[in-house]
Amino acid sequence: VLMQAYEVAASPIRTLARQTTLADFRPASKLKLSDVGALQELTEQGEIKHTTRGEAVESYSLKTYATQFSISRKALINDDLGAFRDWGATAGRMAAETEANVLVSLLLSNPIMGEDGENLFDSAHGNLAASGGALSVATLGAARKAMRGMKGLDGVTPINATPRYLVVGPDTETVAEQVLASIYAATVDDVNPFGGKLSLLVEPRITGNRWYVFADPAALPCLEYAYLSSAQGPQMASREGWDVLGMEYRVVLDFGAGATDWRGGYLNPGA
């Protein structure tokens, strides 16, 4: 019951992040390596030239979240409508809510990246609109162009980041649906180039008109979240009360999230 409610209540932001596990609560370092560069043509002597790889590290750690609930024996017996028996479902929903709050807070905080000391979304990265613009085919086109021009860790190799998700809040949901709608156009100028190209994710915790574009996290993850390897997902336990007749319930979640790269995302503050 807990896991079913937990999965149903998950935030769409979790779709954008890569999932992993950590063995303990120490800060986990996520190493990024650059490509080796293009292969070099051999000389007549057949000499193969050496190359180097750049590296950068991002880190985050797990935290433990928990709550408990007690119910007296008399209340449990008198509970004809089962109001207290849905503890598993509400515990699952609240675990998902906790994860969503952590992930969305991380996204909205625009964290500093260990790679270069700049924010996740920053003009220095080329993934922040110079000025806020309303969501439209034109502004989406600018976002796609910026992502296509992303370079690898070496600052040279093009990685051709492909937009996959459009992320908005409730204030922009209707406009986003209109922008992404497939239209059977009578003229070339009326064709919607984004019809059927992007998946829309609506996160109710995002306020205002800001919107994001993200690549597939399987290829270019910007965010990552982790569970304790020995306790993945919410862990629920119950016991009979001893000092007081009744039941005690507890749910514990070991969860953490961090920004791992900026090359797969784009932010427009909106207008």
Side-chain angles (χ1 to χ4, degrees):
V1 173
L2 180 148
M3 291 308 297
Q4 182 179 12
Y6 168 72
E7 292 297 337
V8 169
S11 168
I13 299 299
R14 199 170 74 170
T15 306
L16 305 173
R18 179 175 58 190
Q19 179 181 336
T20 187
T21 59
L22 299 177
D24 51 44
F25 295 92
R26 291 175 294 182
S29 296
K30 299 295 178 176
L31 179 65
K32 297 182 289 185
L33 292 174
S34 70
D35 292 320
V36 296
L39 305 187
Q40 301 296 315
E41 182 180 353
L42 293 185
T43 64
E44 281 192 33
Q45 291 75 26
E47 178 188 359
I48 301 177
K49 296 181 179 179
H50 286 81
T51 187
T52 59
R53 301 186 72 180
E55 65 178 44
V57 176
E58 309 294 343
S59 65
Y60 67 94
S61 58
L62 294 174
K63 295 182 180 179
T64 299
Y65 305 86
T67 190
Q68 62 181 357
F69 170 72
S70 301
I71 179 173
S72 70
R73 175 173 175 268
K74 184 178 292 187
L76 201 58
I77 293 174
N78 292 340
D79 181 25
D80 296 332
L81 300 179
F84 294 109
R85 282 178 286 184
D86 70 340
W87 164 248
T90 189
R93 289 194 299 270
M94 290 306 99
E97 181 81 7
T98 300
E99 291 185 11
N101 288 337
V102 172
L103 283 168
V104 176
S105 295
L106 173 66
L107 180 64
L108 297 180
S109 69
N110 200 13
I112 299 293
M113 304 300 294
E115 178 180 335
D116 56 8
E118 303 288 353
N119 292 96
L120 173 62
F121 301 102
D122 195 282
S123 57
H125 293 155
N127 65 350
L128 176 65
S131 59
L135 184 59
S136 66
V137 171
T139 53
L140 260 182
R144 180 170 65 177
K145 180 181 178 182
M147 292 184 67
R148 292 290 194 191
M150 294 292 181
K151 300 293 193 297
L153 194 61
D154 59 6
V156 176
T157 305
I159 58 176
N160 194 24
T162 304
R164 172 81 182 273
Y165 296 102
L166 173 62
V167 184
V168 302
D171 293 336
T172 318
E173 180 177 4
T174 301
V175 174
E177 290 177 335
Q178 291 173 331
V179 171
L180 298 184
S182 296
I183 300 174
Y184 296 96
T187 65
V188 173
D189 291 339
D190 293 333
V191 171
N192 181 6
F194 295 102
K197 295 288 184 64
L198 298 177
S199 297
L200 178 62
L201 300 178
V202 182
E203 170 50 63
R205 297 166 186 78
I206 296 177
T207 59
N209 296 324
R210 63 169 55 204
W211 50 273
Y212 301 83
V213 178
F214 284 93
D216 190 332
L220 289 170
C222 287
L223 307 176
E224 182 176 280
Y225 66 93
Y227 301 104
L228 187 64
S229 57
S230 59
Q232 299 180 38
Q235 310 294 308
M236 190 174 76
S238 63
R239 71 174 186 179
E240 290 189 27
W242 183 260
D243 296 327
V244 178
L245 284 177
M247 290 292 296
E248 297 176 344
Y249 302 92
R250 181 183 71 188
V251 61
V252 178
L253 176 68
D254 297 310
F255 181 80
T260 55
D261 205 347
W262 48 266
R263 293 170 178 83
Y266 181 92
L267 166 63
N268 189 306

